[in-house]
Amino acid sequence: MGLSNYAEQILNIYNYYNGAIMVNRRGMIEYYYNNRKDINTLTEKDVLGKSLFEIYSSIDMENSTLMEVMRTGQAMSSVYQSLVNFKGEKYGAICSTFPIFDNNKIIGAIEIFLYLEERDKYMNIFITGAEAKGPKRYYVLDDIISVSRSMNLLKGRILRLSDTDSTVMIYGETGTGKELVAQAIHANGRRSGKRFLSQNCAAIPENLLESILFGTVRGGYTDAENRMGLFEAANGGTLFLDEINSMDISVQAKILKAIEEQQILRIGGLEEIPIDVRVIAAMNADPWQCVEEGLLREDLYYRLKVVQLNIPPLRDRKEDILPLTAYYLDFFNRTMQKQIKDLSDEVKSLFFHYQWPGNVRELRNMIESGFNLCEGEIIEKEDIDINLFNLANENTSGLKADKGGEGFLKEQIRIFERKAITDAIKKCDNLIKAADCLGISRQTLNNKMKELEITEHL
């Protein structure tokens, strides 16, 4: 199997990353992904088949994390790198790097990276002994784009529990926005001036996760150094642990102890270290089912489940599709410097009938795909992953035949748009706020209200 074929398998364990790069033993790039071209404009065409050192002038054989993990066979987690590519673009990134084995032989390495910049919404995951400098931008309630009743109820619960210190369990399918909810809890509470640190527990090998969470003491094991863990680094703030059910049971016991006693013991250490950390955990599988299957300790389940927030999947709140679509159209127009106005009616109809197994993240990626392929001002079905339409067509083919074809599809779109707008108007204090909630301009809202004959006024 080619080296690049390992990429998707490896990347599936990550909830969010800006990009990835994979090299073979000779340092030649065999896989590359980058979703922030407003920061780093390199594309697959620029880098595939070329040497890592040809692409990045800022690294060499000695300081390259990719080459280091291939030399040692040991993964490196959350390492900050300052990078300069051959175009002269400079940017900082937090990188986690892993060797790739085939029959106990290292055949390459993959690096997952998250860009750091002042305006970036996505917070750093790295550990540092220094205090955070300057205000950090976290997701807040207004970043949760929705008009549906279920999501508005969820936002109300977030607001009510933000100022407490209780642990929270977030349950939602992949792509529903669990970290967004966790950050909103942090940003709306009294801990907002402190750190929010995040760790995907499935993303780190078991032998490294404990040291990342609790820290190490020099001499505690071979090559161990004095280093704080995430619990210490998040002191005074919030620690978000995603996919906590993937964590080894023995580490779960230490998590429970840390929450109960608000103190931790570094690996190899003898002195308990007091902490003040709010823990928010998340799972994409039913929590109680994980308890029954032995994947989650029952005592930890009850300790985390002081408050449980369930994020509804996108297929159960399809009235949110249009506001989310408008938001991402605006976002990608700004980041890609394009002027795409809308989706075609056919695409909207298929969006409404699709089941969205990847939820909001899949919707975002689908629209980004359309931006990459669209040559006009309207994203057509030819600009979107054809597999989506094959699945959606299975759900809509009977409806077209029974209900009058294209006219029926347009009427369905009209119904969805009308409901989304009227719900936003009822929820908000004025039309400006309603437009903002929908992710569209006031003028666009006015035009839509006239087109849909919406007469509600505030």
Side-chain angles (χ1 to χ4, degrees), residues 20 29 34 103 297 375 384 397 400 404 412 419 438:
I29 300 169
N34 169 37
N103 294 325
R297 288 177 60 107
E375 295 180 347
I384 306 290
S397 56
K400 290 181 191 177
Q412 292 298 300
K419 186 176 188 308
L438 290 164

Side-chain angles (χ1 to χ4, degrees), residues 21-264:
I21 188 168
M22 179 184 284
V23 299
N24 61 24
R25 288 288 298 176
R26 296 180 294 113
M28 305 302 290
I29 300 169
E30 295 198 13
Y31 178 89
Y32 182 77
Y33 172 75
N34 169 37
N35 68 13
R36 290 297 303 275
K37 294 183 177 62
D38 55 317
I39 298 176
N40 166 24
T41 63
L42 294 183
T43 64
E44 284 185 321
K45 185 178 179 181
D46 293 324
V47 305
L48 289 185
K50 297 181 181 178
S51 167
L52 179 68
F53 311 112
E54 179 184 352
I55 301 301
Y56 293 103
S57 59
S58 57
I59 59 176
D60 53 36
M61 286 291 293
E62 296 303 317
N63 65 14
S64 166
T65 48
L66 284 159
M67 303 307 291
E68 175 70 14
V69 300
M70 285 194 286
R71 282 195 296 268
T72 65
Q74 300 295 315
M76 301 176 70
S77 175
S78 301
V79 176
Y80 175 77
Q81 292 193 69
S82 180
L83 301 170
V84 182
N85 64 32
F86 72 89
K87 295 183 178 181
E89 296 167 339
K90 300 178 181 180
Y91 40 88
I94 298 302
C95 306
S96 291
T97 316
F98 305 94
I100 299 173
F101 292 87
D102 186 13
N103 294 325
N104 295 319
K105 179 182 178 182
I106 296 176
I107 59 173
I110 185 169
E111 187 160 88
I112 317 300
F113 51 85
L114 181 70
Y115 296 119
L116 292 183
E117 53 160 349
E118 290 182 2
R119 65 183 184 278
D120 203 336
K121 290 181 178 180
Y122 307 104
M123 295 309 300
N124 51 307
I125 309 175
F126 65 99
I127 304 169
T128 173
E131 287 298 314
K133 297 179 181 179
K136 296 291 187 181
R137 170 68 165 91
Y138 299 103
Y139 285 119
V140 295
L141 279 180
D142 287 345
D143 292 316
I144 302 176
I145 308 298
S146 66
V147 295
S148 63
R149 182 176 182 275
S150 59
M151 288 301 290
N152 288 337
L153 289 173
L154 176 64
K155 285 194 257 188
R157 297 192 72 191
I158 290 171
L159 198 58
R160 289 193 294 274
L161 64 86
S162 290
D163 262 330
T164 74
D165 287 326
S166 298
T167 52
V168 180
M169 170 72 81
I170 301 172
Y171 167 47
E173 296 178 5
T174 296
T176 49
K178 294 184 286 295
E179 180 158 355
L180 188 156
V181 169
Q183 286 196 19
I185 294 170
H186 174 83
N188 283 280
R190 64 178 181 81
R191 293 177 180 266
S192 60
K194 299 294 184 178
R195 283 193 183 139
F196 174 95
L197 295 182
S198 168
Q199 180 60 59
N200 184 320
C201 301
I204 304 298
E206 289 180 9
N207 61 328
L208 291 178
L209 183 59
E210 187 176 352
S211 63
I212 288 172
L213 292 172
F214 298 103
T216 57
V217 171
R218 184 189 297 273
Y221 59 87
T222 304
D223 297 328
E225 300 291 338
N226 290 322
R227 177 173 294 180
M228 70 167 62
L230 287 174
F231 273 98
E232 284 181 78
N235 194 43
T238 303
L239 177 58
F240 174 60
L241 300 175
D242 197 8
E243 297 192 56
I244 195 167
N245 54 302
S246 67
M247 183 186 298
D248 186 80
I249 292 293
S250 63
V251 182
Q252 290 184 25
K254 295 185 178 182
I255 295 287
L256 176 63
K257 184 174 184 292
I259 295 172
E260 294 280 6
E261 300 179 3
Q262 284 291 289
Q263 58 183 14
I264 58 99

Side-chain angles (χ1 to χ4, degrees), residues 273-316:
I273 300 171
I275 55 171
D276 172 23
V277 176
R278 182 181 196 176
V279 173
I280 300 176
M283 302 174 61
N284 58 18
D286 180 76
W288 183 247
Q289 184 177 343
C290 289
V291 172
E292 293 182 326
E293 293 176 357
L295 300 174
L296 181 68
R297 288 177 60 107
E298 186 172 358
D299 49 5
L300 180 59
Y301 164 75
Y302 285 116
R303 188 64 186 83
L304 292 172
K305 191 183 170 294
V306 174
V307 178
Q308 179 167 322
L309 298 179
N310 297 329
I311 307 177
L314 187 57
R315 63 180 171 274
D316 291 342

